[in-house]
Amino acid sequence: MDIIRDVLDNQLVDRNQRKMGKVDGIVMELRDSEPPRLAYIEVGVTTLSKRLNPRLARLVAAIASKWGAKQSEPFRIPWSKVRDVGIDVEVDVEAEATPALGYEKWLRDRIIARIPGGG
């Protein structure tokens, strides 16, 4: 499997096929005298922005913190929770029970709900 091609930036879905965003990062574990192993996939705007530029990632984290985001750190899903890698990356977690949808919920509660007819 080509991890970058098959996993990174692909749609992430939970066990109920609810979309949880895209896979923004891959964390590998380096071990002495052994090949690297996949440890986590990361979801979060800070991980995505860090791929573009580390300064941008710090700026995004600062803005998110100032605007009241509860979590500026990326959410990590253990590789052991990955069920299937195909068109989507299916994981054995519940989307609503994770902080992966934090920005979506923040946007819904703080912005969309204030638009007439949006709530």
Side-chain angles (χ1 to χ4, degrees):
M1 173 177 11
D2 185 346
I3 298 301
I4 302 300
R5 183 195 67 214
D6 295 340
V7 178
L8 195 62
D9 294 328
N10 282 355
Q11 182 67 53
L12 187 63
V13 295
D14 73 355
R15 67 174 63 115
N16 300 315
Q17 299 301 307
R18 172 132 168 35
K19 292 181 180 180
M20 299 175 59
K22 303 278 185 173
V23 176
D24 296 317
I26 299 169
V27 178
M28 296 186 79
E29 184 178 85
L30 299 176
R31 304 174 293 173
D32 292 334
S33 303
E34 293 184 45
R37 78 173 184 93
L38 293 171
Y40 302 98
I41 55 177
E42 285 188 337
V43 180
V45 69
T46 52
T47 299
L48 180 60
S49 58
K50 190 183 297 183
R51 285 173 47 200
L52 300 173
N53 186 308
R55 288 182 187 164
L56 178 62
R58 288 190 294 272
L59 177 65
V60 166
I63 290 171
S65 176
K66 183 176 178 167
W67 284 359
K70 293 178 182 164
Q71 182 173 359
S72 61
E73 291 296 314
F75 173 62
R76 287 185 170 181
I77 300 170
W79 185 256
S80 61
K81 296 283 187 180
V82 174
R83 283 183 170 173
D84 186 36
V85 175
I87 295 172
D88 296 330
V89 177
E90 186 178 333
V91 293
D92 189 22
V93 297
E94 187 75 36
E96 289 294 326
T98 70
L101 300 177
Y103 287 103
E104 181 179 309
K105 292 175 185 176
W106 180 88
L107 187 64
R108 179 189 63 211
D109 296 343
R110 303 249 176 137
I111 306 297
I112 303 299
R114 295 180 183 191
I115 298 172

